[in-house]
């Protein structure tokens, strides 16, 4: 798993690649927390090169969404969710908790 | 059967093992992903709960395909952890109420046709079944 962060004026575009499971989820969580700890709560997560995500990753998404949406200060949106990951998110009932975009720039422009 | 150390760092290898067996059994990529996810959630629970506080545990893993029924068996010698006893999350709850606990077990049950758990002596056995086609 690798994470890169691109800071825009109004939001952060975070890209996660590879596999997020119980082994890598703590690092994924830390990267998201680093952004929210900087009081940056508008986050677009680029998942285009994400190969795999288990419920350990879903947990990080949920915690971040909860944190971002508190006091209406922002939101976590998902970008280019791969089919397999999307199916698992749907099964978990998560798709209704996140806006999704097919294009990173469109996601960034949403903020 | 293959034995894996009960550590999160070995989840990758456990998923590879499942993928290889499932591919040999003729499952599609989508089905293989589901089987990998179910096995990952099961192994993660064993590592986190059955072997809580134990660093040298192991998981015996085997896969078997017979008459279009794919069976994954995971054996551990940790504490009893019966997934069927786990309270399932309320998937209709809104964001603030949503609980993440139990989600892995919920996914296992949704992704597989049957999930069974047995304990005998020191050994716990989790059996997960997926019918093909």
């Amino acid at each position: 798993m690798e994470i890169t962060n691109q800071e825009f004026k109004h939001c952060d575009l975070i890209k996660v690649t590879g596999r997020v499971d119980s082994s890598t989820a703590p690092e994924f969580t830390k990267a998201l927390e680093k952004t929210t700890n900087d009081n940056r709560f508008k986050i677009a997560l680029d998942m285009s090169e994400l190969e795999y995500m288990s419920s350990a990753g879903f947990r990080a998404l949920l915690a971040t969404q909860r944190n971002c949406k508190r006091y209406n200060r922002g939101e976590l949106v998902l970008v280019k969710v791969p089919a397999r990951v999307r199916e698992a998110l749907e099964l978990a009932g998560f798709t209704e908790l996140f806006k999704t975009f097919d294009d990173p720039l469109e996601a960034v422009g949403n903020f | 059967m293959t034995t894996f150390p009960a550590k999160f760092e070995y989840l990758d290898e456990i998923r590879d093992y499942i993928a290889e067996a499932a591919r040999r059994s003729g499952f599609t990529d989508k089905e293989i992903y589901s089987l990998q996810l179910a096995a990952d959630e099961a192994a993660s629970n064993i590592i986190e709960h059955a072997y809580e506080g134990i660093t040298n545990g192991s998981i015996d893993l085997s896969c078997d395909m017979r008459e279009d029924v794919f069976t994954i068996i995971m054996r551990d010698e940790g504490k009893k952890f019966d997934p069927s006893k786990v309270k399932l999350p309320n998937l209709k709850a809104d964001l603030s109420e949503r609980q993440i606990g139990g989600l892995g077990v919920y996914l296992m049950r949704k992704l597989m046709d049957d999930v069974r758990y047995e304990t005998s002596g020191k050994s716990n056995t989790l059996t997960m079944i997926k019918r093909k086609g």
Side-chain angles (χ1 to χ4, degrees):
Chain A
M1 184 198 68
E2 271 186 50
I3 298 169
T4 49
N5 190 348
Q6 203 180 344
E7 264 189 39
F8 290 90
K9 198 170 172 199
H10 295 290
C11 73
D12 282 48
L13 179 63
I14 297 179
K15 182 168 182 173
V16 58
T17 66
R19 281 157 283 184
V20 180
D21 61 10
S22 297
S23 172
T24 54
E27 199 190 322
F28 178 54
T29 305
K30 218 186 273 174
L32 291 167
E33 279 174 354
K34 190 174 176 287
T35 303
T36 54
N37 286 344
D38 278 348
N39 290 321
R40 301 182 63 88
F41 301 105
K42 293 173 180 164
I43 303 173
L45 183 68
D46 182 345
M47 300 166 100
S48 57
E49 288 172 46
L50 180 69
E51 291 164 34
Y52 176 87
M53 185 178 270
S54 73
S55 68
F58 296 176
R59 185 177 297 158
L61 296 181
L62 182 67
T64 305
Q65 183 67 304
R66 217 173 255 164
N67 193 359
C68 288
K69 281 200 163 178
R70 196 170 295 150
Y71 316 120
N72 280 324
R73 58 194 174 186
E75 182 174 9
L76 169 67
V77 303
L78 310 181
V79 187
K80 282 183 169 284
V81 186
R84 299 286 99 87
V85 176
R86 185 189 294 271
E87 283 151 15
L89 285 168
E90 264 166 30
L91 213 50
F94 266 46
T95 33
E96 65 207 55
L97 302 177
F98 300 90
K99 262 191 226 164
T100 57
F101 293 89
D102 291 328
D103 175 32
L105 290 179
E106 196 193 330
V108 166
N110 152 72
F111 288 112
Chain B
M1 192 201 73
T2 306
T3 302
F4 295 91
K7 292 181 193 300
F8 290 141
E9 299 93 289
Y10 285 86
L11 288 172
D12 247 339
E13 289 178 41
I14 288 173
R15 289 194 302 267
D16 285 348
Y17 180 91
I18 298 286
E20 239 172 74
R23 199 161 287 128
R24 276 199 307 271
S25 301
F27 283 100
T28 64
D29 283 350
K30 178 179 169 165
E31 290 164 330
I32 292 169
Y33 188 96
S34 297
L35 292 166
Q36 285 181 301
L37 182 55
D40 174 323
E41 300 293 350
S44 294
N45 275 333
I46 291 171
I47 297 163
E48 196 174 339
H49 301 295
Y51 285 123
E52 188 186 357
I54 296 167
T55 50
N56 61 350
S58 61
I59 299 173
D60 292 338
L61 176 60
S62 67
C63 296
D64 176 62
M65 181 73 166
R66 217 168 285 173
E67 289 169 4
D68 280 352
V69 176
F70 189 72
T71 306
I72 301 171
I73 297 177
M74 271 183 211
R75 216 165 258 136
D76 69 79
E77 297 197 337
K79 282 180 281 188
K80 280 184 206 172
F81 177 75
D82 186 345
S84 68
K85 300 265 157 58
V86 173
K87 199 168 162 262
L88 294 181
N90 176 7
L91 304 187
K92 296 272 178 277
D94 66 18
L95 182 67
S96 60
E97 317 254 290
R98 194 69 73 107
Q99 292 298 317
I100 195 80
L103 190 58
V105 172
Y106 175 82
L107 288 175
M108 281 159 63
R109 286 198 228 161
K110 290 292 263 189
L111 295 165
M112 304 300 288
D113 291 317
D114 195 12
V115 178
R116 273 175 297 182
Y117 183 81
E118 288 160 279
T119 297
S120 121
K122 281 201 304 181
S123 156
N124 309 309
T125 305
L126 180 72
T127 306
M128 298 194 288
I129 284 169
K130 184 79 188 170
R131 283 174 203 91
K132 201 174 147 215

